Amino acid sequence: MRLAELSERSGVSTATIKYYLREGLLPPGHQINATTAEYDEEHLRRLRLVRAMIQVGRVPVGKVREVLGHVDDDSLGSAMRLGAAMWALPQVPEPDEDDEYVQAARQEVGTLLDRLGWENAKQLTSISPSYRSLVVTVAALRRLGYDFGAELLMPYAELMYRTAVLDLDNMEAYSSQEEERIEFAILGAILNEPALQALHRLAQEEETTRRYGFE
Amino acid sequence: MRLAELSERSGVSTATIKYYLREGLLPPGHQINATTAEYDEEHLRRLRLVRAMIQVGRVPVGKVREVLGHVDDDSLGSAMRLGAAMWALPQVPEPDEDDEYVQAARQEVGTLLDRLGWENAKQLTSISPSYRSLVVTVAALRRLGYDFGAELLMPYAELMYRTAVLDLDNMEAYSSQEEERIEFAILGAILNEPALQALHRLAQEEETTRRYGFE
């Protein structure tokens, strides 16, 4: 397809597509003569992903380039390729290791992972931004004087595990091609998370009004 | 307790506490003479909540004041007081009603609520920011060409419902006093959500490596 059709099918303006091409977020089209290039379904798919990251996820252009670099790096195995792409998404800052609340939070999260039997996640604690993010949040709550630890988190973690199983089932159903699967997972992290959060709050409203009525 | 002790027990500097007092985010202490005021446990609890909203949740000071106004408004019934406080938290912009994707998204979310039997949530669609937020996200995904609708969301919504039941159980266990319960729920929305998101990603890492190994 030509640029105009790519624009129409994606709902992204030609000026913006040209900008993404210049920035290397989209691979160049197949040049058919000096002024015309052809684009295919893969361009469309990639364009949608880039658009979702920038417009809905508000991921900076430099980060988008970094994430896509990992998606396209077929020197890595499946899990690492996915991990590297997800981890390049914006993350929380490093926790302060001298902080007593950070130390307590690490202990609580460690206990949680033990009880859950998440052996693989335990092996990833030194590099995983999700682990770091959980530690930072637990530390913030403990610093404020809330007793927030393994016991409270346990049933939530079990529900989130079932959510992750759904995510991977959906990803596997979406495509058998590795690059497409990884793109789908990134999209999930960016757009599914706001959807999950909205569903969670809607469910809270439903349950609150069931328990206490509409007054 | 005096200001110094309030500062020490909360980990918030006296200068910051004075700023919160001036901004009306914290009720004044009980003046015992011209230069000294006494603070109680209620001040400490409120201070922790304000701190969590501003520092961890990055809620603007004006919004914090608005949220607290609803928490303290005992002219409202339980569910509405909670709802008003939650809904004053920063939210997504209004969807564009003329947009065909927004219309399709409303239909999908409507089907979802029907299938779930969330009758109360359905009654709140005209005012609920969570509903709006879900519609906006579903519309964004559909605009990008992803088939994202009631069927895909259904099992997620069921898991999020179980998460909401946990939230309310925890809230009820935390306190029998209404104002404290509402504060706890706000704190949950601000700090529990990052924790849930981190748990979700950790669970994804665990499940990904279980399925595909560490390569």
Side-chain angles (χ1 to χ4, degrees):
Chain A
M1 74 191 96
R2 300 295 163 81
L3 187 66
E5 190 185 340
L6 184 64
S7 166
E8 194 172 323
R9 286 184 60 191
S10 63
V12 180
S13 73
T14 55
T16 301
I17 295 175
K18 284 179 183 166
Y19 168 72
Y20 292 164
L21 284 164
R22 280 197 306 277
E23 289 290 325
L25 304 184
L26 210 57
H30 313 288
Q31 212 68 35
I32 53 173
N33 63 46
T35 56
T36 320
E38 272 278 317
Y39 301 89
D40 55 26
E41 294 300 318
E42 205 171 321
H43 286 98
L44 179 62
R45 212 187 65 233
R46 180 56 61 95
L47 176 58
R48 285 174 171 157
L49 176 67
V50 168
R51 192 65 180 159
M53 281 200 269
I54 291 177
Q55 197 185 35
V56 188
R58 303 193 188 286
V59 180
V61 165
K63 273 283 170 202
V64 172
R65 199 183 293 114
E66 189 185 339
V67 170
L68 294 176
H70 295 302
V71 174
D72 295 334
D73 182 359
D74 47 24
S75 74
L76 294 173
S78 196
M80 276 302 116
R81 218 166 142 188
L82 181 56
M86 299 291 283
W87 295 356
L89 291 172
Q91 302 289 349
V92 296
E94 285 288 338
D96 173 4
E97 289 311 324
D98 292 335
D99 184 309
E100 59 177 306
Y101 297 102
V102 169
Q103 289 163 7
R106 278 203 191 281
Q107 202 145 26
E108 289 295 328
V109 175
T111 304
L112 176 72
L113 295 180
D114 280 337
R115 284 201 207 155
L116 289 163
W118 290 6
E119 291 303 325
N120 297 358
K122 269 178 69 181
Q123 287 185 54
L124 295 168
T125 53
S126 62
I127 50 169
S128 161
S130 322
Y131 168 78
R132 203 158 68 219
S133 172
L134 185 59
V135 167
V136 167
T137 310
V138 171
L141 279 161
R142 297 182 75 86
R143 184 173 300 114
L144 289 164
Y146 299 99
D147 180 24
F148 200 84
E151 190 144 357
L152 190 96
L153 288 170
M154 188 76 190
Y156 285 104
E158 282 165 344
L159 288 172
M160 288 306 115
Y161 183 73
R162 293 183 50 184
T163 308
V165 169
L166 278 178
D167 294 335
L168 285 167
D169 287 347
N170 283 330
M171 184 183 88
E172 290 180 356
Y174 177 72
S175 172
S176 61
Q177 204 258 314
E178 178 149 15
E179 200 173 287
E180 291 187 29
R181 283 185 173 187
I182 295 172
E183 288 191 2
F184 186 78
I186 294 166
L187 203 78
I190 288 169
L191 290 177
N192 207 350
E193 280 172 7
L196 269 189
Q197 184 177 314
L199 277 176
H200 181 206
R201 290 207 181 174
L202 262 183
Q204 286 175 330
E205 289 168 15
E206 174 68 22
E207 180 66 7
T208 305
T209 46
R210 279 189 194 174
R211 292 192 192 194
Y212 311 125
F214 279 97
E215 292 283 289
Chain B
M1 72 191 99
R2 300 294 163 80
L3 188 65
E5 190 185 340
L6 184 64
S7 167
E8 194 173 323
R9 285 185 59 193
S10 62
V12 180
S13 73
T14 56
T16 301
I17 296 174
K18 284 179 183 167
Y19 168 72
Y20 292 163
L21 284 164
R22 279 197 307 276
E23 290 290 324
L25 305 183
L26 211 57
H30 313 287
Q31 212 70 34
I32 54 174
N33 64 46
T35 55
T36 319
E38 272 277 317
Y39 301 89
D40 56 26
E41 294 300 318
E42 206 170 321
H43 285 97
L44 178 62
R45 214 187 63 234
R46 180 56 61 95
L47 176 58
R48 283 174 172 156
L49 176 67
V50 167
R51 192 65 181 159
M53 282 200 268
I54 291 176
Q55 197 186 34
V56 189
R58 302 192 189 289
V59 179
V61 165
K63 275 281 171 205
V64 172
R65 197 184 294 113
E66 190 185 337
V67 170
L68 294 176
H70 295 301
V71 174
D72 295 336
D73 182 359
D74 48 23
S75 74
L76 295 172
S78 196
M80 276 302 117
R81 218 166 142 188
L82 180 56
M86 298 291 282
W87 294 354
L89 291 173
Q91 302 289 349
V92 296
E94 285 288 338
D96 173 4
E97 289 312 324
D98 292 334
D99 184 309
E100 60 177 305
Y101 297 102
V102 169
Q103 288 162 8
R106 279 203 192 281
Q107 202 146 26
E108 290 295 328
V109 175
T111 305
L112 176 73
L113 295 180
D114 280 336
R115 284 201 206 156
L116 288 164
W118 290 6
E119 291 302 325
N120 297 357
K122 268 178 69 181
Q123 288 184 54
L124 294 169
T125 54
S126 63
I127 49 170
S128 161
S130 321
Y131 168 79
R132 201 158 68 220
S133 171
L134 186 58
V135 167
V136 167
T137 308
V138 171
L141 278 161
R142 297 183 75 87
R143 185 173 300 114
L144 289 164
Y146 298 100
D147 179 25
F148 201 84
E151 188 143 359
L152 190 95
L153 288 170
M154 188 76 190
Y156 285 104
E158 283 166 344
L159 288 172
M160 288 306 114
Y161 183 72
R162 293 183 51 183
T163 309
V165 169
L166 278 178
D167 294 334
L168 285 166
D169 287 347
N170 282 331
M171 186 183 86
E172 290 179 357
Y174 176 72
S175 172
S176 60
Q177 204 258 313
E178 178 149 15
E179 198 172 288
E180 291 187 29
R181 283 186 173 186
I182 295 172
E183 289 191 2
F184 186 78
I186 292 166
L187 202 78
I190 288 169
L191 290 176
N192 208 350
E193 280 172 8
L196 269 189
Q197 184 177 314
L199 277 177
H200 181 205
R201 290 205 182 175
L202 261 183
Q204 285 175 331
E205 290 168 14
E206 174 68 22
E207 181 65 7
T208 305
T209 45
R210 280 189 194 173
R211 291 193 193 194
Y212 311 123
F214 280 98
E215 292 284 289

